Amino acid sequence: GQQVMQIPQYQHVQEGEDFTTYCNSSTTLSNIQWYKQRPGGHPVFLIQLVKSGEVKKQKRLTFQFGEAKKNSSLHITATQTTDVGTYFCAGPVGAGGTSYGKLTFGQGTILTVHP
Amino acid sequence: EPEVTQTPSHQVTQMGQEVILRCVPISNHLYFYWYRQILGQKVEFLVSFYNNEISEKSEIFDDQFSVERPDGSNFTLKIRSTKLEDSAMYFCASSEGGAGYGYTFGSGTRLTVV
């Protein structure tokens, strides 16, 4: 079935270093969403990107949606210990292509920040 | 800020027993979901529910699973005869308008089947 692939699976950084996670879909996405899950917590919605080539910023976080609307990235500048967690991308895809009712999540990138 | 509420937070059950996981979605949301996450792994879709019926379900959501919205506020997931491999964190989520809107997740129910 259609999948949303995410790399890397793990990322260990020193506090102050930058971090990027990448998300790819085999099918064009109508939108891409990003979620953060703190250790022991639940996924929390961060942002949605809809337009081709869109770039959105939230403080030190920069989100991009590719021109073909098949890939996306999340970049964190100067990581802090509060950034620790798993970052998931999610897109509306299903076994037959675009799904209007559900999100399929990527595998997530586990970010560890060493102080 | 509105929340999705899930109960219980932790459920331990014997293999073969039935369990019901409960959720109260955000009141003005129209789409409801159950996802599960086996420890350290990805968030897997189980089922979506809209207009009082299932709109999509995954291969995981077999005849042992069912969902209900019995009273207009609660949204429940029932597993009829639990298996060891059903042990996971189960998350309920709701959204205003399906996959074009951000989901709000509950804090989850950790199901342990022994």
Side-chain angles (χ1 to χ4, degrees):
Chain A
Q2 302 295 326
Q3 291 189 34
V4 176
M5 306 299 293
Q6 199 174 343
I7 57 169
Q9 188 175 358
Y10 301 95
Q11 186 78 57
H12 307 278
V13 299
Q14 289 292 131
E15 190 171 21
E17 292 181 339
D18 292 356
F19 159 76
T20 304
T21 175
Y22 300 91
C23 184
N24 287 283
S25 170
S26 56
T27 188
T28 302
L29 300 171
S30 60
N31 74 84
I32 189 88
Q33 300 182 20
W34 287 90
Y35 291 77
K36 177 182 179 181
Q37 184 178 27
R38 294 184 184 275
H42 57 278
V44 174
F45 174 72
L46 294 177
I47 208 160
Q48 177 178 262
L49 304 169
V50 177
K51 299 176 185 175
S52 169
E54 189 170 14
V55 178
K56 287 189 176 180
K57 293 191 175 186
Q58 288 180 351
K59 298 182 181 178
R60 295 177 294 102
L61 278 61
T62 302
F63 304 85
Q64 291 189 321
F65 200 10
E67 295 290 340
K69 300 182 73 173
K70 288 186 175 183
N71 56 24
S72 181
S73 64
L74 158 60
H75 180 83
I76 302 178
T77 303
T79 54
Q80 301 175 357
T81 55
T82 52
D83 295 325
V84 163
T86 303
Y87 292 85
F88 293 98
C89 63
V93 293
T98 299
S99 168
Y100 298 98
K102 77 170 202 299
L103 292 174
T104 295
F105 282 72
Q107 302 95 316
T109 296
I110 300 171
L111 173 63
T112 306
V113 180
H114 300 285
Chain B
E1 190 167 327
E3 288 184 345
V4 173
T5 305
Q6 286 188 246
T7 55
S9 57
H10 194 180
Q11 173 95 46
V12 180
T13 188
Q14 290 206 325
M15 192 169 53
Q17 295 296 305
E18 174 183 286
V19 294
I20 298 176
L21 310 184
R22 303 181 190 279
C23 170
V24 179
I26 293 173
S27 59
N28 65 335
H29 284 187
L30 301 177
Y31 286 78
F32 315 115
Y33 308 88
W34 284 101
Y35 282 79
R36 78 175 186 188
Q37 185 178 36
I38 296 171
L39 187 63
Q41 298 186 24
K42 67 184 292 185
V43 179
E44 294 180 293
F45 170 75
L46 293 178
V47 65
S48 60
F49 193 86
Y50 170 71
N51 201 25
N52 285 319
E53 60 183 20
I54 291 173
S55 51
E56 286 189 61
K57 58 183 181 179
S58 73
E59 292 174 353
I60 303 168
F61 195 88
D62 62 20
D63 291 344
Q64 294 300 312
F65 291 85
S66 62
V67 289
E68 270 192 331
R69 190 161 159 79
D71 57 11
S73 65
N74 291 287
F75 179 51
T76 62
L77 173 69
K78 182 192 289 187
I79 309 176
R80 287 189 185 81
S81 179
T82 49
K83 304 170 192 163
L84 295 176
E85 54 263 37
D86 293 328
S87 295
M89 181 71 91
Y90 287 80
F91 290 109
C92 173
S94 67
S95 78
E96 288 182 64
Y101 293 76
Y103 287 8
T104 301
F105 281 84
S107 53
T109 294
R110 179 165 297 285
L111 177 65
T112 304
V113 182
V114 296

